[in-house]
Amino acid sequence: MSSINQSRRRLFSRKKTDAVRPPWVKQTIEFTDECTRCDKCIPVCETQIIVKGEGGFPEIDFKIDECTFCQQCVNACPEAIFENTDITPWQIKATIQDSCMAYQGIWCQSCKDACDQRAISFSLAIGKAPLPKIDIEACTGCGACVAPCPSTAILVRHV
């Protein structure tokens, strides 16, 4: 197979990414087809969590900070890729991985302390560290719980 055919095949078989895009991106579009990578959303993000990701497309990096839903990315974007900001900003939620310190018997509640929505609670058990539980209905997917986690056990991803 020629290298031109291999390149074409790669072009048309783009792998889907699990990247978290800015809030309010239309669910009905293929983001990488519509975003022009102008980067206007990156400098206006008040918590600086929008970064250049794979292929130069904007992605959210919750290891940096949380999304405050300030809407600055929406306002800065010249393309028609965003929904009305009166709706839920995105379909992502926090999940806790097995690497959570509480699952290892270590008392830690840094994620709960960071969650303004009170979506994370801990259940007490005699002789054990309290275990975390996420209320999926209360979780906004803001990512406030990610950066403070000392064991990087929290992921925010599509549901």
Side-chain angles (χ1 to χ4, degrees):
M1 183 181 279
S2 75
S3 63
I4 292 173
N5 287 340
Q6 288 175 339
S7 295
R8 242 187 238 144
R9 179 173 286 158
R10 264 181 277 175
L11 172 69
F12 293 113
S13 65
R14 282 184 295 180
K15 67 177 184 174
K16 296 286 182 184
T17 178
D18 287 334
V20 175
R21 302 299 179 192
W24 296 290
V25 167
K26 291 178 182 176
Q27 298 295 310
T28 57
I29 66 167
E30 180 62 44
F31 183 80
T32 56
D33 289 343
E34 303 293 327
C35 175
T36 61
R37 296 177 274 190
C38 70
D39 297 338
K40 291 183 180 176
C41 58
I42 294 173
V44 299
C45 177
E46 75 178 23
T47 55
Q48 301 299 296
I49 63 170
I50 303 177
V51 298
K52 272 190 181 200
E54 185 177 330
F57 292 99
E59 295 180 5
I60 302 297
D61 185 350
F62 291 119
K63 289 180 247 139
I64 297 169
D65 207 343
E66 68 185 283
C67 181
T68 60
F69 306 112
C70 68
Q71 302 178 15
Q72 294 302 315
C73 55
V74 176
N75 298 333
C77 183
E79 304 303 322
I81 62 173
F82 290 98
E83 301 277 3
N84 178 337
T85 56
D86 292 335
I87 64 169
T88 303
W90 45 31
Q91 297 300 313
I92 59 173
K93 303 289 180 179
T95 59
I96 300 173
Q97 308 306 298
D98 291 339
S99 59
C100 174
M101 291 171 60
Y103 296 146
Q104 314 309 318
I106 301 167
W107 191 298
C108 176
Q109 295 187 4
S110 59
C111 56
K112 176 185 171 190
D113 296 340
C115 183
D116 288 339
Q117 299 301 317
R118 306 227 184 274
I120 303 175
S121 60
F122 279 77
S123 57
L124 297 175
I126 297 173
K128 293 183 180 179
L131 299 177
K133 181 177 186 228
I134 296 179
D135 178 350
I136 295 300
E137 296 299 315
C139 179
T140 62
C142 71
C145 55
V146 175
C149 178
S151 61
T152 60
I154 300 180
L155 296 177
V156 179
R157 56 183 165 191
H158 299 277
V159 290

